[in-house]
Amino acid sequence: MRSERGASMWLKISTWAAVLFLHIPLALIILYAFSAEEKSYVFPPPALTTQWFAVAWAREDVWRAIKLSFEVAAWSTAIAIVLGTLAAGALARTKFFGRDVISLLLILPIALPGIITGIALRSAYHTMEIPFSFWTIVIGHATFCVVVVYNNAVARLRRMSPSLLEASADLGANIFQTLRYVILPQLGSALLAGGLLAFALSFDEVIVTTFTAGQQTTLPIWMYQELIRPRQRPVTNVVAVVIIALTFIPILAAYALTRKGDSQ
């Protein structure tokens, strides 16, 4: 018994140590967003200031990048919710030839390295002579956002009792009434959680965007360019803090919704 408690204690300590180690870079980014030093990273920072938040707020290139990233993430999430829900409805309970292959193809875009997905999309656009635009980015992001929504929706549908659908049919409901009053309420939190995760993934995606954006600059690409040829280093850290906040909140909300759905 004592050895089991000791092993459990060491496991907890190791887990927290790994979590802290992974979050050290994020803590440094937040710290240097308040650094008064503009051109170098000195630890600890010689002085702290909030002036860079005002500087970042006033830069139009930052706002253009944020606006583009937000629009791309919103459209990608909307497409992912529609396609992911339809795919989950088709594959959750029905058995047919090739179902496992289709499931594998749906999951591949997020399982493969982003650079492979990006190269494949760029080659496809080139082959079909599709010019780079806002929509080429949206399509690229939707390919992996669909997976997140699909996984959440198919898991919820497989846990849903078939007797609910049978009861709805016995009470005279048609397919659309069943969808509205039975299926969608059961799927609501799963779709919301999947949509929040998809939005967070799309908002800070850089690898696939690099291959599909052309001359457009989303926020992650803007940050990458600033790291290569920086104008004001602390401004980049300020924008990184904004990205951390904008992605952390949806992920936390999705986690809470997923746990709530699992407990029901």
Side-chain angles (χ1 to χ4, degrees), residues 196-213:
L196 290 170
L197 283 174
F199 185 91
L201 286 174
S202 174
F203 192 84
D204 64 4
E205 168 59 39
V206 62
I207 300 177
V208 173
T209 310
T210 302
F211 287 93
T212 59

Side-chain angles (χ1 to χ4, degrees), residues 57 73 117 158 178 220 241:
W57 184 273
T117 302
R158 285 172 178 169
T178 301
V241 171

Side-chain angles (χ1 to χ4, degrees), residues 136-200:
T136 58
I137 307 176
V138 170
I139 293 171
H141 286 201
T143 57
F144 57 83
C145 289
V146 166
V147 183
V148 179
V149 176
Y150 165 77
N151 285 337
N152 279 27
V154 77
R156 183 63 58 84
L157 286 172
R158 285 172 178 169
R159 289 200 303 269
M160 190 171 68
S161 174
S163 61
L164 293 175
L165 305 181
E166 295 172 0
S168 178
D170 290 341
L171 292 171
N174 58 39
I175 186 172
F176 296 104
Q177 290 173 322
T178 301
L179 177 65
R180 178 180 177 183
Y181 295 109
V182 179
I183 298 177
L184 288 182
Q186 294 289 325
L187 277 178
S189 60
L191 293 181
L192 183 57
L196 290 170
L197 283 174
F199 185 91

